[in-house]
Amino acid sequence: KRSWLQKLKAGLSKTSTNLTTLFVGAKIDDDLYDELESALLVSDAGVEATQFLLDALKKKVKSEKLTEAQQVKDALRALLIEMLAPLQKPMVLGRHQPLVMMIAGVNGAGKTTTIGKLAKHLQTHHQSVLLAAGDTFRAAAREQLAIWGARNDVTVIAQESGDPAAVAFDAVQSAKARNVNVVMVDTAGRLPTQLHLMEELKKIKRVIGKGMEGAPHELLLVIDGNTGQNALAQVKAFDDALQLTGLIVTKLDGTAKGGILAAIAKTRPVPVYFIGVGEQIEDLQPFNAEEFVDALLS
Ligand code: GDP
């Protein structure tokens, strides 16, 4: 069985081959920098992060008088790790009883799968978990969560119809009464067109705060690592509306082009708590900048 790191490497290598190979036997000249620029852009790093990395790299090559391509690659590795390190932040459990997490993300990003994986992760860290099926607009989403909850010994608070904010409020009260450690509030990724998603989400956040002061303690956004600059736009929009505390980047085992994390680090550095590297329950891993950069460059 492949380890999660192998899955990550396999995913990133499909599109980051250029980042790996362009240094092999290369001379340090404008061609190398041009190729690196293209490779970074292709990897979804975005214009801003790409330019920053190139400038910093050129400066370093000059000041440290690097002459070998491998040294330049090592310098790039160090710069990338430095850039991504601020995104690495462990999720601290047990700060509140219950710790309330609200989880957002557009449909298809992998939100439902991630909630399942995260609940499991929390259980293995001795946290009892309660789920609020806040996507009251999709019956299927609610049912999926209910089935999953029953199978994994996680209570799911759901209502047949009605207001997602009310479901979230009930879930927090219920968790208090049962002394549950963590409440995860699922939310809709798309609404019937007459409703505005961000307004609904803001309302849920507000109502959760009425049920428990200071909650939600975590506002997480799930993004699909394959969607590049689109994912970046989602981070900005959700962060503007909701003040995110963390991201979970999914599907990095697929055709993802890991550079998106550099783009996030440069333009909207919301911590990346976890990365998703597969569809299985164990395929959720805390983000580690060094491991990630090595997977990207090897
Ligand atoms: P939601 O609409 O955001 O709730 O998305 P789902 O959780 O239903 O996920 C959409 C699809 O992406 C499903 O087929 C999942 O199995 C798949 N998926 C989610 N996370 C990952 C991941 O980390 N890696 C891979 N390969 N697939 C994933």
Side-chain angles (χ1 to χ4, degrees):
K1 208 170 166 207
R2 290 195 304 169
S3 72
W4 71 269
L5 203 54
Q6 287 168 326
K7 289 185 203 173
L8 176 64
K9 274 185 188 158
L12 296 182
S13 71
K14 282 178 213 141
T15 42
S16 67
T17 329
N18 293 342
L19 277 178
T20 317
T21 54
L22 69 91
F23 293 100
V24 179
K27 275 202 305 232
I28 304 170
D29 55 15
D30 285 346
D31 283 348
L32 179 67
Y33 290 121
D34 283 349
E35 276 184 52
L36 179 58
E37 181 172 18
S38 310
L40 286 169
L41 289 172
V42 166
S43 83
D44 278 338
V47 175
E48 204 179 334
T50 297
Q51 207 50 57
F52 173 85
L53 283 166
L54 277 177
D55 291 347
L57 189 62
K58 285 178 187 170
K59 219 180 267 172
K60 210 164 171 175
V61 166
K62 208 169 170 190
S63 69
E64 295 178 13
K65 300 192 171 60
L66 306 182
T67 52
E68 306 286 328
Q70 182 59 42
Q71 293 175 315
V72 182
K73 188 178 176 184
D74 292 343
L76 175 66
R77 174 181 180 275
L79 283 171
L80 275 166
I81 291 172
E82 197 180 311
M83 189 179 214
L84 298 191
L87 300 184
Q88 182 182 324
K89 193 180 158 207
M91 179 184 269
V92 182
L93 302 173
R95 293 132 56 203
H96 301 280
Q97 179 70 26
L99 185 75
V100 182
M101 305 180 179
M102 178 172 161
I103 301 168
V106 303
N107 286 353
K111 190 156 48 74
T112 311
T113 311
T114 299
I115 287 173
K117 292 178 189 169
L118 187 52
K120 195 79 194 167
H121 173 91
L122 293 166
Q123 285 177 323
T124 57
H125 286 77
H126 312 292
Q127 304 289 302
S128 53
V129 179
L130 184 144
L131 274 180
D135 187 353
T136 56
F137 299 93
R138 275 198 307 178
R142 192 174 64 229
E143 281 153 22
Q144 209 180 332
L145 272 191
I147 294 167
W148 188 89
R151 208 187 289 146
N152 291 279
D153 212 16
V154 170
T155 307
V156 178
I157 302 288
Q159 286 173 3
E160 275 302 305
S161 60
D163 185 4
V167 176
F169 186 89
D170 283 356
V172 174
Q173 301 316 313
S174 177
K176 279 185 184 167
R178 297 173 202 213
N179 229 359
V180 168
N181 302 127
V182 182
V183 182
M184 298 168 72
V185 180
D186 186 21
T187 61
R190 190 186 299 135
L191 297 182
T193 44
Q194 69 274 23
L195 295 171
H196 195 286
L197 181 62
M198 292 306 174
E199 292 312 315
E200 270 304 303
L201 294 175
K202 280 190 210 169
K203 180 177 162 197
I204 298 172
K205 182 182 176 186
R206 210 162 51 233
V207 171
I208 290 174
K210 286 192 178 143
M212 181 177 181
E213 206 182 315
H217 311 103
E218 297 286 1
L219 224 154
L220 308 178
L221 179 70
V222 178
I223 52 171
D224 179 343
N226 291 307
T227 55
Q229 297 303 305
N230 208 341
L232 184 64
Q234 288 164 20
V235 174
K236 286 183 186 160
F238 281 82
D239 188 38
D240 285 344
L242 299 164
Q243 292 81 52
L244 300 173
T245 62
L247 301 175
I248 299 175
V249 185
T250 67
K251 308 190 198 182
L252 288 171
D253 56 311
T255 54
K257 310 167 178 175
I260 182 65
L261 272 83
I264 290 169
K266 201 67 208 146
T267 58
R268 194 59 71 104
V270 180
V272 177
Y273 283 137
F274 294 98
I275 57 173
V277 290
E279 297 179 275
Q280 302 308 311
I281 205 88
E282 67 277 7
D283 292 330
L284 186 77
Q285 291 291 331
F287 171 67
N288 177 290
E290 197 169 327
E291 283 169 351
F292 189 85
V293 169
D294 282 337
L296 192 63
L297 292 181
S298 67

